[in-house]
Amino acid sequence: TAAVTGIGHYEPLGHYAEVQLRIEPAAAPGVIFSSECSISDLPPLRQQQILREMRGMEVPGVLAGTELSHLKVTLINGREHERHSQSSDFREASARALRQGLMQARKMGACRLL
């Protein structure tokens, strides 16, 4: 019922990725993914990869573990390291950002079962 920002960070030895997402309610069913991230922060190919990975994720809702719906998820920022960032790092960072944002919305009382 309210917009939140989720931040996901993944940095085990030799890996690095950070993703910031804005999660907000949407009028239509399903989950809409988009990007407002600057190409100076993340190259367009990396942004496309993050959005593609998020579309394929099955992240359960935080209230009852059911499928997410009526959400708009926007990539707003991210960071990578020239030598230490890999595709799988961003998959993990994206999942963490989405989960962290959903947990924040739950804590605020901004989640609702449809």
Side-chain angles (χ1 to χ4, degrees):
T1 58
V4 294
T5 300
I7 300 171
H9 188 81
Y10 185 68
E11 191 175 5
L13 187 62
H15 297 268
Y16 179 81
E18 186 175 313
V19 173
Q20 293 181 15
L21 304 173
R22 183 175 58 243
I23 305 164
E24 54 194 331
V31 181
I32 302 163
F33 295 97
S34 64
S35 177
E36 293 177 0
C37 185
S38 169
I39 60 172
S40 63
D41 292 328
L42 277 177
L45 288 175
R46 185 66 81 188
Q47 292 182 38
Q48 291 170 6
Q49 175 219 345
I50 291 169
L51 294 175
R52 186 174 52 251
E53 292 288 345
M54 284 195 303
R55 284 184 187 101
M57 285 182 199
E58 292 186 21
V59 178
V62 294
L63 292 179
T66 57
E67 183 178 348
L68 299 174
S69 184
H70 292 75
L71 283 180
K72 180 178 180 188
V73 179
T74 307
L75 174 65
I76 55 175
N77 202 354
R79 290 184 176 172
E80 68 178 342
H81 187 275
E82 188 176 304
R83 291 185 305 159
H84 297 295
S85 294
Q86 299 174 9
S87 300
S88 58
D89 300 344
F90 283 95
R91 181 176 42 247
E92 184 65 32
S94 298
R96 290 178 182 199
L98 185 56
R99 187 78 179 158
Q100 192 266 340
L102 292 172
M103 293 300 285
Q104 181 180 346
R106 177 179 153 187
K107 187 176 181 181
M108 294 171 35
C111 291
R112 169 174 73 195
L113 286 175
L114 300 175

